[in-house]
């Protein structure tokens, strides 16, 4: 499989528009638009020309009063996007008009957000380790749960029947959904777990940890299949490609690692100039969006993100 993708011949392109650093990048379900969320309090939606060099049109989503820390697209609708901000609000936007269609204020600074795969619910995590589940249609909270441990990135499994939380204790807490009853505590790492990704084929989930490892878990057995060991710093962000054959991971190391999921071997490293905050593969093509703490020569934020995987720069 890995021989069929000539990673070493592929190039990155840079996208500029934000005034401060980009915290989060995410593709829509058709892989045609990319959203970026920034410390500059805006999100932007970019119509990515996958094959040509057309001028990239971007539309600004304005309204948040603090950093846009994470964003995610409706898995069933290519133009609806949800944003989580430090201003305590969660907002739903129409990417065609750039207008905010719904918003709700929660109790704390929101840092994580994810959709249930069927598009019905959104889960939001805040700095106070509180989880809120919103019904998307009414955009009102239907569950609230405060945890007495550090909760980091959150995810549903592909069927939406399991909800997974990464914790500062090095565990993944597995809850049944919608009851949110605990099913299992997975002792995943010796240090805090920061990020989680679900294999699009539904076989695995992967966890990135402060111990610099990425672990791969069989989701039906809850057993660790292998670990990826290329990074040397705490793993901030991970993503599976659309076939589930490759996993990208990034940290404060000055490269993004791409490894083969089935062998555990690193197949490519994308050099970067700063610590990375977000990596995400396109859901249809082998294009990887990534964003970090890039600064210019005057040591101010560049506000850029890049996409790797083009045949020409």
């Amino acid at each position: 499989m890995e021989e069929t993708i000539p990673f070493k011949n592929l190039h990155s392109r840079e996208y500029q528009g934000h005034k401060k650093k980009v915290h989060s990048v995410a593709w829509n379900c058709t892989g045609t638009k990319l959203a970026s969320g920034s410390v500059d309090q805006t999100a932007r939606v970019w119509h990515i020309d996958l094959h040509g060099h057309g001028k990239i049109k971007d539309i600004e989503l304005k309204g948040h009063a603090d950093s846009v820390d994470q964003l995610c697209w409706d898995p069933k609708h290519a133009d609806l996007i949800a944003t989580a901000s430090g201003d305590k609000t969660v907002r739903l936007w129409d990417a065609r008009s750039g207008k905010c269609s719904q918003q709700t204020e929660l109790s704390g600074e929101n840092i994580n957000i994810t959709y249930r795969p069927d598009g019905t619910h959104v889960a939001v995590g805040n700095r106070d380790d509180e989880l809120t589940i919103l019904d998307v249609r009414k955009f009102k909270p239907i569950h609230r749960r405060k945890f007495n441990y550090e909760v980091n990135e959150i995810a549903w499994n592909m069927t939406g029947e399991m909800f997974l939380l990464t914790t500062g204790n090095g565990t993944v807490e597995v809850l049944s959904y919608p009851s949110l009853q605990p099913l299992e505590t997975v002792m995943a790492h010796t240090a805090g777990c920061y990020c989680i990704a679900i294999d699009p084929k539904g076989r695995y989930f992967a966890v990135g940890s402060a111990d610099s490892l990425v672990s791969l878990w069989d989701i039906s057995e809850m057993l660790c299949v292998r670990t990826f060991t290329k990074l040397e710093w705490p793993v901030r962000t991970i993503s599976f490609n659309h076939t589930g054959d490759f996993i990208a991971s990034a940290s404060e190391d000055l490269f993004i690692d791409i490894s083969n999921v089935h062998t555990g071997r690193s197949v490519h490293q994308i050099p970067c100039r700063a610590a990375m905050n977000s990596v995400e593969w396109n859901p249809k093509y082998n294009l990887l969006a990534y964003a970090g703490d890039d600064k210019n020569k005057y040591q101010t934020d560049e506000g850029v993100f890049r996409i790797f995987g083009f045949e020409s720069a």
Side-chain angles (χ1 to χ4, degrees), residues 124-163:
V124 184
N126 71 17
R127 281 198 199 283
D128 306 317
D129 308 313
E130 190 171 15
L131 173 72
T132 305
I133 312 275
L134 301 170
D135 176 296
V136 171
R137 260 185 341 196
K138 300 190 180 73
F139 222 60
K140 294 272 187 291
I142 51 173
H143 299 289
R144 276 209 179 91
R145 175 79 58 91
K146 177 101 164 77
F147 295 93
N148 57 2
Y149 46 77
E150 178 187 310
V151 173
N152 294 313
E153 211 171 25
I154 50 182
W156 270 280
N157 71 340
M158 293 301 283
T159 63
E161 299 163 317
M162 259 187 331
F163 191 76

Side-chain angles (χ1 to χ4, degrees), residues 202-275:
R203 303 159 296 186
Y204 306 116
F205 65 91
V207 178
S209 165
D211 64 13
S212 83
L213 299 174
V214 174
S215 57
L216 181 75
W217 297 79
D218 179 310
I219 205 161
S220 54
E221 308 278 340
M222 290 292 164
L223 291 173
C224 185
V225 182
R226 64 183 51 87
T227 55
F228 305 90
T229 60
K230 263 296 182 253
L231 299 174
E232 293 181 8
W233 289 85
V235 183
R236 293 181 173 196
T237 173
I238 55 179
S239 177
F240 285 96
N241 81 326
H242 66 285
T243 61
D245 293 311
F246 296 99
I247 188 165
S249 55
S251 64
E252 292 170 57
D253 290 274
L254 295 183
F255 62 88
I256 297 161
D257 181 64
I258 299 175
S259 285
N260 182 307
V261 167
H262 313 293
T263 65
R265 279 207 308 275
S266 177
V267 295
H268 189 67
Q269 291 175 3
I270 305 167
C272 35
R273 291 190 291 223

Side-chain angles (χ1 to χ4, degrees), residues 112-129:
N112 286 305
I113 188 164
T114 188
Y115 262 93
R116 193 171 185 217
D118 65 1
T120 56
H121 298 164
V122 167
V124 184
N126 71 17
R127 281 198 199 283
D128 306 317
D129 308 313

Side-chain angles (χ1 to χ4, degrees), residues 65 111 173 209 254 290:
I111 50 174
E173 300 297 330
S209 165
L254 295 183
Y290 58 99

